[in-house]
Amino acid sequence: MFSKKIKAINRSLVFRLAAVYALAFMLIAAVGFAVTYYRLQAMAMAQMDAELIDEVETFAGLVEKEGWPAGMARMAAEVESEDPEEEFYRFLNRDGGILAATDMVSWQTDVIQRAIRQLRSSDRDHVLHTVDLPAQGHKARVITAFIGQDRI
């Protein structure tokens, strides 16, 4: 007798409407979550890019005003205050020779070399790109930029 009532509920209009409303709500919630997630991700990426550009502009201004040794001192202070796997600096001359670098064992250098080629071939003063770091299990945002006339 009870099983007949359950079968009857499955065929009732109330149950079907409730199921349709539940599915519609789940679909709308999933779409809303996806849109919110991607908008927040885009905003976070834009903020991170702005911070990287600001840091490069500050560093370039310091090198221009106080010279290369002051820039190297700031780089050393930045690296000491951060984890080497989270922040690194590499300074190159226009020919690609390394002028100075911090520990970059955990970073992919081939991606950075492609960014340097892209920077040289474009009229922009910086290139932003994302590097996949499988050893750490995450991605990193990297900026490659000109510092003065002869340094990258």
Side-chain angles (χ1 to χ4, degrees):
M1 182 166 174
F2 184 68
S3 64
K4 289 181 183 178
K5 286 184 179 180
I6 291 177
K7 288 181 183 178
I9 290 174
N10 288 345
R11 289 189 217 123
S12 72
L13 179 62
V14 172
F15 178 78
R16 287 184 292 184
L17 281 175
V20 168
Y21 286 150
L23 288 173
F25 176 75
M26 287 178 16
L27 181 65
I28 290 169
V31 168
F33 173 77
V35 168
T36 302
Y37 174 80
Y38 287 113
R39 289 192 70 196
L40 286 174
Q41 182 184 24
M43 287 173 38
M45 191 69 71
Q47 182 179 4
M48 190 181 324
D49 290 350
E51 288 175 12
L52 286 171
I53 292 168
D54 184 52
E55 189 169 335
V56 165
E57 288 173 351
T58 301
F59 187 81
L62 178 69
V63 168
E64 187 178 319
K65 282 182 189 175
E66 299 180 21
W68 186 246
M72 299 310 297
R74 180 168 188 260
M75 178 188 75
E78 285 281 334
V79 170
E80 279 188 29
S81 68
E82 296 289 333
D83 183 9
E85 291 188 7
E86 297 203 10
E87 187 166 336
F88 79 89
Y89 294 90
R90 178 171 47 185
F91 299 99
L92 307 171
N93 59 20
R94 285 216 179 247
D95 298 329
I98 297 175
L99 299 172
T102 59
D103 182 21
M104 299 182 305
V105 173
S106 61
W107 292 82
Q108 296 174 345
T109 56
D110 60 330
V111 176
I112 297 165
Q113 290 298 328
R114 278 184 277 165
I116 291 170
R117 286 192 298 273
Q118 183 182 5
L119 181 65
R120 286 183 185 150
S121 66
S122 71
D123 59 345
R124 297 181 293 177
D125 61 346
H126 66 274
V127 175
L128 292 158
H129 54 281
T130 303
V131 177
D132 187 24
L133 303 172
Q136 286 78 18
H138 57 81
K139 296 180 180 184
R141 195 72 171 151
V142 178
I143 186 168
T144 305
F146 286 114
I147 305 291
Q149 295 295 322
D150 60 342
R151 293 183 180 97
I152 298 175

